PDB file of all heavy atoms in Angstrom:
ATOM      1  N   ILE B 112      18.140  31.564   0.194  1.00 98.00           N
ATOM      2  CA  ILE B 112      17.318  30.745   1.086  1.00 98.00           C
ATOM      3  C   ILE B 112      15.852  31.177   1.014  1.00 98.00           C
ATOM      4  O   ILE B 112      14.947  30.346   0.920  1.00 98.00           O
ATOM      5  CB  ILE B 112      17.857  30.805   2.535  1.00 98.00           C
ATOM      6  CG1 ILE B 112      19.189  30.045   2.619  1.00 98.00           C
ATOM      7  CG2 ILE B 112      16.838  30.240   3.528  1.00 98.00           C
ATOM      8  CD1 ILE B 112      19.950  30.256   3.915  1.00 98.00           C
ATOM      9  N   MET B 113      15.595  32.475   1.010  1.00 98.00           N
ATOM     10  CA  MET B 113      14.207  32.943   0.918  1.00 98.00           C
ATOM     11  C   MET B 113      13.576  32.547  -0.419  1.00 98.00           C
ATOM     12  O   MET B 113      12.429  32.110  -0.469  1.00 98.00           O
ATOM     13  CB  MET B 113      14.130  34.460   1.106  1.00 98.00           C
ATOM     14  CG  MET B 113      14.074  34.902   2.540  1.00 98.00           C
ATOM     15  SD  MET B 113      12.749  34.067   3.492  1.00 98.00           S
ATOM     16  CE  MET B 113      11.284  34.526   2.534  1.00 98.00           C
ATOM     17  N   ASP B 114      14.320  32.710  -1.510  1.00 97.00           N
ATOM     18  CA  ASP B 114      13.772  32.382  -2.832  1.00 97.00           C
ATOM     19  C   ASP B 114      13.450  30.886  -2.933  1.00 97.00           C
ATOM     20  O   ASP B 114      12.416  30.509  -3.489  1.00 97.00           O
ATOM     21  CB  ASP B 114      14.764  32.775  -3.939  1.00 97.00           C
ATOM     22  CG  ASP B 114      14.825  34.285  -4.139  1.00 97.00           C
ATOM     23  OD1 ASP B 114      13.919  34.985  -3.661  1.00 97.00           O
ATOM     24  OD2 ASP B 114      15.782  34.765  -4.762  1.00 97.00           O
ATOM     25  N   TYR B 115      14.327  30.047  -2.395  1.00 96.00           N
ATOM     26  CA  TYR B 115      14.075  28.600  -2.447  1.00 96.00           C
ATOM     27  C   TYR B 115      12.964  28.199  -1.492  1.00 96.00           C
ATOM     28  O   TYR B 115      12.125  27.368  -1.816  1.00 96.00           O
ATOM     29  CB  TYR B 115      15.380  27.820  -2.200  1.00 96.00           C
ATOM     30  CG  TYR B 115      16.071  27.509  -3.508  1.00 96.00           C
ATOM     31  CD1 TYR B 115      16.507  28.539  -4.333  1.00 96.00           C
ATOM     32  CD2 TYR B 115      16.226  26.200  -3.960  1.00 96.00           C
ATOM     33  CE1 TYR B 115      17.092  28.276  -5.553  1.00 96.00           C
ATOM     34  CE2 TYR B 115      16.814  25.935  -5.191  1.00 96.00           C
ATOM     35  CZ  TYR B 115      17.243  26.974  -5.983  1.00 96.00           C
ATOM     36  OH  TYR B 115      17.807  26.707  -7.205  1.00 96.00           O
ATOM     37  N   LEU B 116      12.969  28.788  -0.322  1.00 97.00           N
ATOM     38  CA  LEU B 116      11.902  28.508   0.645  1.00 97.00           C
ATOM     39  C   LEU B 116      10.531  28.807   0.034  1.00 97.00           C
ATOM     40  O   LEU B 116       9.583  28.024   0.181  1.00 97.00           O
ATOM     41  CB  LEU B 116      12.147  29.365   1.883  1.00 97.00           C
ATOM     42  CG  LEU B 116      11.283  29.176   3.122  1.00 97.00           C
ATOM     43  CD1 LEU B 116      12.037  29.705   4.354  1.00 97.00           C
ATOM     44  CD2 LEU B 116       9.944  29.873   3.020  1.00 97.00           C
ATOM     45  N   LYS B 117      10.435  29.925  -0.689  1.00 96.00           N
ATOM     46  CA  LYS B 117       9.160  30.360  -1.276  1.00 96.00           C
ATOM     47  C   LYS B 117       8.649  29.405  -2.345  1.00 96.00           C
ATOM     48  O   LYS B 117       7.462  29.435  -2.685  1.00 96.00           O
ATOM     49  CB  LYS B 117       9.352  31.745  -1.920  1.00 96.00           C
ATOM     50  CG  LYS B 117       9.358  32.876  -0.919  1.00 96.00           C
ATOM     51  CD  LYS B 117       8.038  33.599  -1.020  1.00 96.00           C
ATOM     52  CE  LYS B 117       7.839  34.644   0.030  1.00 96.00           C
ATOM     53  NZ  LYS B 117       6.448  35.104   0.102  1.00 96.00           N
ATOM     54  N   THR B 118       9.520  28.592  -2.931  1.00 94.00           N
ATOM     55  CA  THR B 118       9.109  27.720  -4.029  1.00 94.00           C
ATOM     56  C   THR B 118       9.258  26.233  -3.711  1.00 94.00           C
ATOM     57  O   THR B 118       8.700  25.404  -4.412  1.00 94.00           O
ATOM     58  CB  THR B 118       9.927  28.027  -5.306  1.00 94.00           C
ATOM     59  OG1 THR B 118      11.332  27.944  -4.980  1.00 94.00           O
ATOM     60  CG2 THR B 118       9.633  29.422  -5.825  1.00 94.00           C
ATOM     61  N   GLN B 119      10.033  25.868  -2.665  1.00 94.00           N
ATOM     62  CA  GLN B 119      10.343  24.461  -2.411  1.00 94.00           C
ATOM     63  C   GLN B 119       9.841  23.942  -1.068  1.00 94.00           C
ATOM     64  O   GLN B 119       9.777  22.726  -0.869  1.00 94.00           O
ATOM     65  CB  GLN B 119      11.865  24.241  -2.455  1.00 94.00           C
ATOM     66  CG  GLN B 119      12.546  24.740  -3.720  1.00 94.00           C
ATOM     67  CD  GLN B 119      12.170  23.937  -4.946  1.00 94.00           C
ATOM     68  OE1 GLN B 119      12.028  22.721  -4.861  1.00 94.00           O
ATOM     69  NE2 GLN B 119      11.951  24.608  -6.062  1.00 94.00           N
ATOM     70  N   ALA B 120       9.551  24.808  -0.127  1.00 97.00           N
ATOM     71  CA  ALA B 120       9.165  24.334   1.208  1.00 97.00           C
ATOM     72  C   ALA B 120       7.637  24.247   1.303  1.00 97.00           C
ATOM     73  O   ALA B 120       6.928  25.200   0.955  1.00 97.00           O
ATOM     74  CB  ALA B 120       9.721  25.271   2.278  1.00 97.00           C
ATOM     75  N   PRO B 121       7.101  23.101   1.741  1.00 98.00           N
ATOM     76  CA  PRO B 121       5.647  22.872   1.692  1.00 98.00           C
ATOM     77  C   PRO B 121       4.854  23.592   2.786  1.00 98.00           C
ATOM     78  O   PRO B 121       4.452  23.004   3.788  1.00 98.00           O
ATOM     79  CB  PRO B 121       5.532  21.349   1.808  1.00 98.00           C
ATOM     80  CG  PRO B 121       6.761  20.922   2.533  1.00 98.00           C
ATOM     81  CD  PRO B 121       7.834  21.905   2.177  1.00 98.00           C
ATOM     82  N   PHE B 122       4.654  24.891   2.535  1.00 98.00           N
ATOM     83  CA  PHE B 122       3.763  25.726   3.356  1.00 98.00           C
ATOM     84  C   PHE B 122       2.715  26.308   2.417  1.00 98.00           C
ATOM     85  O   PHE B 122       3.017  26.613   1.264  1.00 98.00           O
ATOM     86  CB  PHE B 122       4.541  26.895   3.992  1.00 98.00           C
ATOM     87  CG  PHE B 122       5.596  26.498   4.974  1.00 98.00           C
ATOM     88  CD1 PHE B 122       6.922  26.398   4.577  1.00 98.00           C
ATOM     89  CD2 PHE B 122       5.284  26.250   6.307  1.00 98.00           C
ATOM     90  CE1 PHE B 122       7.909  26.045   5.493  1.00 98.00           C
ATOM     91  CE2 PHE B 122       6.265  25.899   7.226  1.00 98.00           C
ATOM     92  CZ  PHE B 122       7.578  25.799   6.815  1.00 98.00           C
ATOM     93  N   TRP B 123       1.500  26.473   2.936  1.00 98.00           N
ATOM     94  CA  TRP B 123       0.429  27.086   2.142  1.00 98.00           C
ATOM     95  C   TRP B 123      -0.301  28.096   3.001  1.00 98.00           C
ATOM     96  O   TRP B 123      -0.655  27.817   4.150  1.00 98.00           O
ATOM     97  CB  TRP B 123      -0.553  26.023   1.642  1.00 98.00           C
ATOM     98  CG  TRP B 123       0.105  25.007   0.791  1.00 98.00           C
ATOM     99  CD1 TRP B 123       0.306  25.090  -0.565  1.00 98.00           C
ATOM    100  CD2 TRP B 123       0.677  23.762   1.208  1.00 98.00           C
ATOM    101  NE1 TRP B 123       0.972  23.971  -0.996  1.00 98.00           N
ATOM    102  CE2 TRP B 123       1.211  23.139   0.063  1.00 98.00           C
ATOM    103  CE3 TRP B 123       0.799  23.111   2.447  1.00 98.00           C
ATOM    104  CZ2 TRP B 123       1.851  21.902   0.110  1.00 98.00           C
ATOM    105  CZ3 TRP B 123       1.438  21.890   2.498  1.00 98.00           C
ATOM    106  CH2 TRP B 123       1.961  21.287   1.329  1.00 98.00           C
TER     107      TRP B 123
END
Side-chain angles (χ1 to χ4, degrees):
Chain B
I112 289 169
M113 275 307 302
D114 287 344
Y115 268 62
L116 187 158
K117 282 255 173 193
T118 54
Q119 307 292 322
F122 295 97
W123 300 273

